[in-house]
Amino acid sequence: MTATTSAPQSELPGRIMAREMAEQPAVLRRILEEGAPGIRQVAQEIAARKPRFVLLAARGTSDSAALYAKYLLEIRLGLPCGLTSMSTTTAYGARPDLTDVLVITVSQSGGSPDLVASTRAAREAGAITLAVTNNPDSPLAAVSEYHVDIMAGPEKALPATKTYTASLLALYLFVEGLRGGDGAPAKSLPDLAERLLARQDEVRALAARYRFAERMVITSRGYGYPTAKEAALKLMETSYIPALSYSGADLLHGPLAMVDNVSPVIAVVTDGKGGQALQPVLDRLRGRGADLVVIGPADQVEQASAGFVLPTRGLAEELQPVLEIIPLQLLAYEVTIARGQDPDAPRALAKVTETR
């Protein structure tokens, strides 16, 4: 017989991503305990300047976080928001009047040239500029008037995990600071995140459904929509499965035609108004015999082919995205491992993408 040995832990594929996902409860605690006062101070100073409009700039995973901030700002504060097209500034040289406009640029590294250039141009055009990054010494932080540090610590795996949930919490605390709140409802998040991470075996069983998937559709509405977009990105960049994300409303306007009883559909169902708005979409998906997996409350999971129950009872709807993404990060990881790939190092990707 030939003796077999297992690979050392340091050589296992996905070890870095796994470690960074596991750090998320500690990162969330750090933000709440150490970062919250500084975030509140920045928010108070910006609130005093009474911005009339908000523009959000980001790329990749940070773009999902920026979309989450858009929902927060419009719902919680009634401030109109837009997601910027940076090429209007960097490629076309447009210089709109941004007097009294708050420009929030979200970037893990703070190093992408187009984000830096568009933020610099916005500040020169009269905007109030805020950088939300994981690097206070970054070029983006340097050109911005204000900065919020998401305090996630070094992130070495190419798929962003802990910096995403850290960005969501930092943005939540910032928006609460704008409206004079203290962010106290978020205090339960670290413990809830720990409970979710402890259920990786459930996600591993769920991942078996998607090992050979040729494509996936992920849908949600309201606060859950940024989660759907981020989950699709995680699946594509780690497992290379084409994953399409749609607002439930947009899914009904045409893309529903591609859904059949073979195409897996993941629905992120928030416990609140977004989940209620998604119900007609879930009914249509069930009517088409879709392989429907629900990430959400127990009563919604019970009506699906499979799912993962989130501990959202009593948790404000606007905080649920911090938890919703965790089982989907785990799913991307487990599917990738099952397909024999390394989620730490997706092909053709770099940690800092230097778009211009």
Side-chain angles (χ1 to χ4, degrees):
M1 294 179 63
T2 301
T4 58
T5 57
S6 59
Q9 186 67 31
S10 61
E11 298 177 7
L12 293 176
R15 66 190 184 281
I16 303 173
M17 183 180 177
R19 183 178 66 239
E20 291 172 352
M21 287 189 294
E23 291 174 10
Q24 289 178 104
V27 171
L28 297 175
R29 285 193 185 93
R30 186 183 309 135
I31 296 169
L32 290 168
E33 294 171 4
E34 301 174 25
I39 296 172
R40 192 177 305 118
Q41 179 63 35
V42 168
Q44 289 171 350
E45 291 182 22
I46 291 176
R49 297 173 65 173
K50 295 180 169 43
R52 60 184 174 85
F53 190 87
V54 181
L55 287 173
L56 295 134
R59 295 286 191 201
T61 284
S62 294
D63 197 43
S64 301
L67 181 58
Y68 167 73
K70 183 177 187 293
Y71 277 91
L72 280 174
L73 288 157
E74 291 186 341
I75 296 170
R76 305 284 284 171
L77 292 179
L79 269 176
C81 299
L83 299 174
T84 62
S85 299
M86 282 168 283
S87 63
T88 61
T89 297
T90 60
Y92 293 92
R95 293 294 184 267
D97 181 3
L98 298 179
T99 305
D100 298 328
V101 173
L102 171 59
V103 173
I104 303 174
T105 307
V106 187
S107 171
Q108 300 150 38
S109 69
S112 186
D114 58 348
L115 292 170
V116 174
S118 63
T119 300
R120 181 187 293 110
R123 189 170 181 181
E124 292 171 352
I128 307 162
T129 53
L130 168 66
V132 179
T133 81
N134 196 37
N135 184 2
D137 299 320
S138 63
L140 179 60
V143 301
S144 300
E145 187 175 358
Y146 297 97
H147 178 255
V148 164
D149 184 358
I150 66 172
M151 306 179 73
E155 188 173 59
K156 297 182 179 180
L158 286 177
T161 53
K162 63 178 181 174
T163 53
Y164 179 67
T165 49
S167 295
L168 296 190
L169 179 54
L171 288 163
Y172 167 81
L173 292 172
F174 171 71
V175 174
E176 284 301 287
L178 288 177
R179 61 194 297 270
D182 61 3
K187 290 182 179 178
S188 63
L189 289 176
D191 289 342
L192 291 172
E194 278 188 344
R195 288 167 52 187
L196 290 176
L197 287 162
R199 296 165 58 191
Q200 188 161 359
D201 286 349
E202 290 181 49
V203 179
R204 189 173 297 120
L206 199 57
R209 303 174 71 91
Y210 304 122
R211 182 175 180 181
F212 301 108
E214 295 183 2
R215 72 165 183 239
M216 295 171 64
V217 173
I218 307 177
T219 189
S220 190
R221 291 204 68 180
Y223 282 113
Y225 181 42
T227 306
K229 288 178 66 66
E230 175 60 13
L233 177 60
K234 282 292 152 288
L235 283 158
M236 286 189 287
E237 69 184 356
T238 56
S239 69
Y240 317 141
I241 296 174
L244 308 173
S245 61
Y246 294 100
S247 158
D250 287 332
L251 186 63
L252 296 183
H253 283 267
L256 184 68
M258 71 177 174
V259 175
D260 53 28
N261 60 2
V262 177
S263 306
V265 179
I266 297 176
V268 180
V269 184
T270 56
D271 191 358
K273 293 181 179 179
Q276 294 165 15
L278 192 63
Q279 291 308 306
V281 183
L282 299 178
D283 292 341
R284 292 285 298 276
L285 288 168
R286 284 190 287 263
R288 292 188 63 82
D291 177 10
L292 177 63
V293 171
V294 166
I295 309 297
D299 62 327
Q300 296 294 329
V301 172
E302 289 169 359
Q303 300 177 54
S305 306
F308 186 97
V309 176
L310 291 173
T312 53
R313 184 179 298 275
L315 185 68
E317 184 178 358
E318 60 270 17
L319 286 169
Q320 292 176 33
V322 181
L323 301 180
E324 289 167 349
I325 192 58
I326 291 175
L328 292 163
Q329 292 171 344
L330 293 170
L331 181 66
Y333 171 88
E334 293 291 351
V335 169
T336 305
I337 295 293
R339 289 164 73 98
Q341 294 148 198
D342 185 355
D344 284 344
R347 64 194 180 204
L349 295 182
K351 189 62 177 172
V352 180
T353 304
E354 296 194 352
T355 47
R356 295 183 182 276

